[in-house]
Amino acid sequence: MREFAVDEIEPLAIGAWILGTGGGGSPYLHQLNVKKLYDQGHRIQLMDSSELADDDMVAVVSKMGAPLVGLERLVDPAMMARAVRMMEAYLGIRFRAVMSVEIGGGNALSPFLAAAIADIPVVDADAMGRAYPEAQMTSFAIGDLPMFPLTLADVRDNDVIVARAASWKWMERISRKVCTEVGSTAATCKAPRTGREVKDWGIQNTVTKAIAIGRTIMEARRVHDDPVAALVRDHAGKTVFVGKIADVSRETTGGFLRGTAVVEGLDGDRGHRMELAFQNEFAVGWIDGEPAIMTPDLICVLDSVTGDAIGTETLRYGQRVSVVALPAPEILLSPKGLTHVGPRAFGYDLDFKSVFAA
């Protein structure tokens, strides 16, 4: 276990925003929150999952809702901790540590907010290795682990416990309905995990991975290198398309941000056109009408100059972007993983084909 350093906050936010594949909510406000907590004297410990005892209990937290709403309402660290404490009171347990359900976007920093207030460590792992919009799209769901209970807290002092659900999809439907009712933004503590479950089914060292990606981008900027090229070079990525945002269509519905973005090609892609579909996160991309990239490959839309990730809620006409693919965690690529997070899980009649396939 080690202290999470203050100079790791910014690279974690940059890297997590890229791993968010357009979703997970912008980490900017979370980043400010963690810095403020450090200014107030809080310190957060980061631990490897191997340091957990098998019977330790770990809180799995996230900010749930639509990314567009997340832009308008600052996350309250006390609200994140409230969802954790509610779960402890409900089950009569004390958590050894907290972890993120997804390392992408602002949710990568959500456990740090809860940890600072609750004074417990953060585990260097998550359950997606990226961001995804629904509860059944986690490594814990792929492993058929229990999906309940769930606690949910909102800013109006509403506390909700989902005691039981028939399946991961029912847990998603019920909790999403509650989240939508309270304004499409809430803090949640998902079904608690044992130390053994985190070691067996968690996606390991993803906090460290996000920090490394962020530092790659920051160093490239410092030496006036191309940050997108540095990301592709240092993190086994692949540039899929380069262009300019020509159109965006989106709406917040059912607690999700859904829509499409059209990218007109520039440089080597001039004369071609890419369409990206998203449900909070980018799910599938077509070039000139042909499927070119799809989940679970990570579809990252980056500012072509700064290397900053662009979320589905911050896409704007005229942005110069590079669409980059990063490799998915192995468990998402397994046959069972693909039933949870492949293109058909998002409603597209496509067989998964990775851009990294030989």
Side-chain angles (χ1 to χ4, degrees), residues 191-263:
R193 304 269 74 104
T194 66
R196 185 73 261 162
E197 288 171 336
V198 174
K199 285 181 274 192
D200 286 349
W201 290 101
I203 298 174
Q204 308 299 323
N205 304 313
T206 48
V207 173
T208 299
K209 178 179 181 179
I211 293 170
I213 288 174
R215 283 185 166 150
T216 294
I217 298 294
M218 293 171 71
E219 176 62 15
R221 292 173 185 163
R222 189 185 70 79
V223 300
H224 304 292
D225 195 1
D226 179 344
V228 176
L231 173 72
V232 169
R233 180 189 64 228
D234 294 352
H235 297 277
K238 183 173 183 178
T239 300
V240 178
F241 200 77
V242 175
K244 181 185 77 170
I245 300 294
D247 193 20
V248 180
S249 173
R250 65 188 157 215
E251 62 174 340
T252 297
T253 175
F256 299 109
L257 184 65
R258 301 176 191 268
T260 57
V262 175
V263 187

Side-chain angles (χ1 to χ4, degrees), residues 27-46:
Y28 179 68
L29 298 178
H30 287 70
Q31 177 183 337
L32 296 181
N33 257 324
V34 177
K35 285 183 175 177
K36 182 180 180 182
L37 289 166
Y38 267 64
D39 289 343
Q40 292 171 342
H42 293 277
R43 292 295 179 269
I44 301 164
Q45 300 296 312
L46 184 65

Side-chain angles (χ1 to χ4, degrees), residues 128 132-138 172 176 256 258 279 345-346:
M128 293 181 178
Y132 271 128
E134 300 188 39
Q136 72 277 8
M137 296 173 173
T138 66
E172 171 61 33
R176 184 69 57 176
F256 299 109
R258 301 176 191 268
Q279 177 188 338
F346 289 83

Side-chain angles (χ1 to χ4, degrees), residues 64 150 152 160-180:
M64 187 176 186
L150 174 146
L152 182 149
V160 177
I161 298 173
V162 181
R164 192 172 183 86
S167 66
W168 281 94
K169 288 193 175 183
W170 269 109
M171 175 58 82
E172 171 61 33
R173 289 175 65 179
I174 295 168
S175 57
R176 184 69 57 176
K177 187 71 175 177
V178 174
C179 179
T180 304

Side-chain angles (χ1 to χ4, degrees), residues 107-122:
N107 264 334
L109 285 85
S110 290
F112 289 83
L113 302 179
I117 301 300
D119 195 25
I120 53 177
V122 174

Side-chain angles (χ1 to χ4, degrees), residues 55-60 82-96 146-151 160-164 171 189-194 197:
D55 58 354
D56 279 339
M57 296 302 295
V58 178
V60 183
R82 201 170 95 229
V84 173
R85 292 307 189 205
M86 195 191 329
M87 184 68 82
E88 288 185 326
Y90 177 65
L91 294 177
I93 62 171
R94 296 295 289 181
F95 284 117
R96 173 70 179 87
M147 70 294 294
F148 55 81
L150 174 146
T151 60
V160 177
I161 298 173
V162 181
R164 192 172 183 86
M171 175 58 82
C189 180
K190 316 289 189 188
R193 304 269 74 104
T194 66
E197 288 171 336

